[in-house]
Amino acid sequence: MSVAATDAQGAHTAGVQRLLDSYRAIPATATVRLNKPTSNLFRARAKSAAKGLDTSGLTGVIGVDPDARTADVAGMCTYEDLVAATLPYGLAPLVVPQLKTITLGGAVTGLGIESTSFRNGLPHESVLELDILTGAGDIVTASRTDHPDLFHAFPNSYGTLGYSVRLKIELESVKPFVSLRHLRFHTIEELVAAMDRIIETGGHDGVPVDYLDGVVFSAYESYLCLGVQTATPGPVSDYTGQQIYYRSIQHADGEKHDRLTIHDYLWRWDTDWFWCSRAFGAQHPVMRRLWPRRYRRSSFYWKLVGYDQRFDIADRIEKRNGRPPRERVVQDIEVPIERCAEYLHWFLTNVPIEPIWLCPLRLRGDTEWPLYPIRPHHTYVNVGFWSSVPVGPEEGHTNKLIERKVSELDGHKSLYSDSFYTAEEFDELYGGEAYRTVKKNYDPDSRLLDLYAKAVQRR
């Protein structure tokens, strides 16, 4: 073991002890929460004066084993730091969520996704084992064979069964560059059919595809973005400056080619938070030249959203201009691929938000994950949409319409944002009795919030 790895292990051990000390300092009657500097959640929650758990020592990569292609990683390590540690070895996590400050622990307990998900599934499927601080105050090492009930219920539990302290994950080999082909489609049906063929065959025009996602601008303009790893050197594009990645996808017909370094490909969406930076003026040519490069990143835009939520800035502007306040519609949903076109047409007709992100996924193996029960060996399409609409006749009107439509199409939605399900609906969709059994076993005194309370009631 190298000195660096030894130092990292020692720092991690000290960090775990600080975490445990902070847990024991919280009164037995108080709810336990994390104290973390960043978040990618969009759920509002009740204010709490309680001091959270100290995770300050749990933010690094403990070690990378390039021969075994694995990494030991602290639970609060961001993917930005994780990728920085693995790329020098020509390795990357099997799924790298789109935003730099998403943590590995957060992606596992809250479900992450990206353009490798059509072949690598979801981040929790590459976890070999993980250490979890449970609601009982114990550090439990869970895997497919040790504490398998906790291991399988942990994904989509959002910290209500415990917090990951350390995760051992699989890595995959990557090449230095990604060659991109952006295919344009004039109907949604053509796009979905092409996506399905690529997933079933693993390639397009006889060329293997390593990365696959898409963007819908309208019912008549949509794109699939195909990425192929390559070691061949050559010119590459840069979308961290004046050029904007999602605008580079658009073209009149046929296909368009591009190249990025593997690093810039993994973070291609972060600079402009997909396209959401336009809400802050960061895509205006003059403003963009003045906007410091270090602030062109998702974590900074998220802070601006936090200020808006705190001071109701957007609603005040709407009121001043004689317009109604707006409802936040920030969601990712999954529907079976055979229902994808139907959902997209419904959405484009009923929800005035564009563009829309598409990301196909397929679970890697036969394992079923009780808190997010999608079928193995079946393709789903994640549909992401992040904006706001005029308020409707009741709180959450548009979000409720979306929830009903997704359920009607045998889909699910992620729980990182606002949810409005009844307790009965939520039970049916997100684990029900299986969740309660694991909750009772590992958090018998309910020190951690219940999943429904956290995801829907926003406590």
Side-chain angles (χ1 to χ4, degrees):
M1 182 179 291
S2 68
V3 172
T6 303
D7 289 347
Q9 182 61 62
H12 178 71
T13 300
V16 172
Q17 189 58 54
R18 288 203 298 277
L19 176 75
L20 288 170
D21 291 344
S22 66
Y23 175 91
R24 291 161 185 159
I26 297 174
T29 56
T31 299
V32 176
R33 297 181 185 273
L34 283 184
N35 180 18
K36 53 185 295 192
T38 63
S39 174
N40 287 280
L41 296 181
F42 278 83
R43 295 189 244 103
R45 74 177 189 185
K47 302 291 183 183
S48 174
K51 188 175 181 180
L53 295 173
D54 181 356
T55 62
S56 60
L58 303 174
T59 60
V61 176
I62 304 165
V64 177
D65 186 335
D67 296 325
R69 296 199 301 188
T70 62
D72 268 311
V73 188
M76 296 297 134
C77 180
T78 66
Y79 273 93
E80 181 175 25
D81 290 339
L82 175 54
V83 164
T86 63
L87 281 187
Y89 297 102
L91 299 170
L94 270 62
V95 180
V96 179
Q98 314 87 343
L99 307 180
K100 292 179 176 180
T101 56
I102 293 176
T103 63
L104 177 59
V108 170
T109 196
L111 302 186
I113 194 170
E114 233 296 316
S115 59
T116 57
S117 288
F118 78 102
R119 58 183 178 86
N120 286 341
L122 299 173
H124 59 267
E125 294 186 90
S126 64
V127 175
L128 300 173
E129 66 177 25
L130 68 165
D131 296 340
I132 299 170
L133 172 66
T134 69
D138 302 317
I139 301 290
V140 172
T141 300
S143 68
R144 286 173 171 79
T145 55
D146 295 324
H147 300 281
D149 54 344
L150 179 60
F151 181 83
H152 290 103
F154 195 72
N156 211 44
S157 63
Y158 281 91
T160 65
L161 297 177
Y163 298 108
S164 56
V165 173
R166 178 193 63 91
L167 304 97
K168 184 175 183 179
I169 63 168
E170 299 174 70
L171 304 172
E172 69 174 6
S173 296
V174 292
K175 295 177 181 177
F177 305 99
V178 177
S179 176
L180 290 168
R181 300 170 70 182
H182 303 309
L183 309 182
R184 174 163 178 165
F185 299 89
H186 298 278
T187 71
I188 297 295
E189 286 76 12
E190 290 175 326
L191 177 141
V192 173
M195 181 190 296
D196 198 20
R197 285 195 301 272
I198 292 168
I199 295 165
E200 291 300 323
T201 63
H204 178 70
D205 288 345
V207 178
V209 172
D210 298 310
Y211 305 101
L212 178 63
D213 64 353
V215 179
V216 176
F217 290 90
S218 73
Y220 311 103
E221 183 189 2
S222 57
Y223 301 86
L224 287 180
C225 304
L226 284 56
V228 178
Q229 295 181 27
T230 177
T232 305
V236 292
S237 299
D238 178 7
Y239 297 107
T240 64
Q242 293 305 298
Q243 302 304 309
I244 298 168
Y245 175 70
Y246 83 98
R247 288 301 181 194
S248 77
I249 294 170
Q250 294 181 275
H251 58 275
D253 206 355
E255 65 182 73
K256 182 178 180 181
H257 295 255
D258 200 355
R259 278 171 52 93
L260 293 171
T261 66
I262 181 63
H263 176 276
D264 286 355
Y265 177 80
L266 293 175
W267 302 128
R268 70 201 180 285
W269 292 121
D270 190 84
T271 299
D272 285 286
W273 212 9
F274 285 84
W275 31 79
C276 298
S277 67
R278 66 184 178 183
F280 310 107
Q283 294 182 26
H284 187 282
V286 175
M287 180 70 79
R288 197 170 183 85
R289 283 194 292 272
L290 298 174
W291 198 289
R293 187 182 288 252
R294 67 184 181 277
Y295 294 141
R296 288 188 212 132
R297 53 183 287 140
S298 61
S299 56
F300 181 71
Y301 304 132
W302 194 93
K303 289 180 181 179
L304 296 181
V305 169
Y307 291 133
D308 174 53
Q309 292 175 354
R310 182 177 177 185
F311 299 110
D312 295 324
I313 297 170
D315 282 350
R316 290 181 181 184
I317 293 173
E318 294 298 303
K319 184 177 181 179
R320 186 178 302 160
N321 290 323
R323 296 189 292 263
R326 298 182 69 82
E327 174 188 350
R328 181 174 64 191
V329 181
V330 176
Q331 305 285 355
D332 279 75
I333 65 94
E334 274 98 32
V335 290
I337 193 167
E338 65 271 18
R339 311 303 295 271
C340 182
E342 180 182 354
Y343 177 78
L344 289 173
H345 282 301
W346 174 87
F347 186 92
L348 290 167
T349 300
N350 292 280
V351 184
I353 292 176
E354 56 78 28
I356 305 165
W357 185 58
L358 304 180
C359 187
L361 70 125
R362 210 165 178 170
L363 295 180
R364 287 176 70 197
D366 298 323
T367 302
E368 295 189 27
W369 306 88
L371 271 61
Y372 207 74
I374 61 177
R375 288 177 281 163
H377 311 294
H378 197 89
T379 301
Y380 290 75
V381 181
N382 176 282
V383 184
F385 38 94
W386 316 292
S387 189
S388 62
V389 300
V391 295
E394 60 177 338
E395 181 189 7
H397 173 71
T398 298
N399 281 282
K400 291 175 182 177
L401 288 178
I402 291 167
E403 288 178 353
R404 287 197 290 271
K405 190 64 178 180
V406 170
S407 293
E408 176 189 320
L409 299 180
D410 194 28
H412 275 76
K413 85 167 192 178
S414 298
L415 297 175
Y416 70 84
S417 190
D418 300 311
S419 296
F420 296 89
Y421 297 110
T422 66
E424 293 74 19
E425 290 170 332
F426 193 85
D427 252 18
E428 185 176 344
L429 291 168
Y430 300 103
E433 190 57 39
Y435 171 75
R436 283 189 290 274
T437 299
V438 179
K439 178 77 167 172
K440 184 177 180 180
N441 289 340
Y442 294 94
D443 185 21
D445 298 322
S446 298
R447 297 295 308 279
L448 306 173
L449 282 176
D450 171 78
L451 184 58
Y452 184 74
K454 190 168 188 176
V456 180
Q457 297 173 322
R458 296 163 227 166
R459 292 181 184 170

